[in-house]
Amino acid sequence: MDLYKAIQDLYAEKEKLERVIASLEELQQAAGSVPALPATGKRRGRKSMDAKERQEVSERMKKYWASRRKRKD
């Protein structure tokens, strides 16, 4: 299959999907009662640590690197 033709077909399919998505979003907004994207409730990103947790991690990593240095020598 010609690579150029495959790319053109994918772009055409992408445009078709975008139109379908837009029309479905319009229907959803017309209904009004359903939010556009439901909240999953899951938190993304890193968990923040308090000072005590940071200190524990610091001590654990100091021990870890000390043991690594001992093994290296």
Side-chain angles (χ1 to χ4, degrees):
M1 177 180 244
D2 183 26
L3 188 58
Y4 180 77
K5 172 87 169 99
I7 292 171
Q8 292 302 317
D9 290 344
L10 289 171
Y11 273 121
E13 188 173 341
K14 177 185 171 189
E15 290 175 13
K16 180 181 174 184
L17 287 171
E18 287 175 347
R19 285 194 303 270
V20 171
I21 290 169
S23 64
L24 289 173
E25 287 175 340
E26 287 178 16
L27 287 173
Q28 188 176 30
Q29 288 175 355
S33 62
V34 181
L37 293 175
T40 59
K42 293 183 181 178
R43 185 173 174 187
R44 295 183 62 146
R46 290 191 177 195
K47 172 184 155 293
S48 60
M49 291 189 281
D50 63 8
K52 182 180 176 187
E53 289 174 312
R54 278 193 298 276
Q55 185 63 37
E56 289 171 356
V57 170
S58 174
E59 290 170 7
R60 190 168 57 244
M61 293 309 293
K62 284 178 186 176
K63 289 178 185 177
Y64 169 79
W65 286 112
S67 70
R68 292 284 302 240
R69 282 192 295 275
K70 280 184 182 178
R71 269 192 259 145
K72 189 176 181 182
D73 292 337

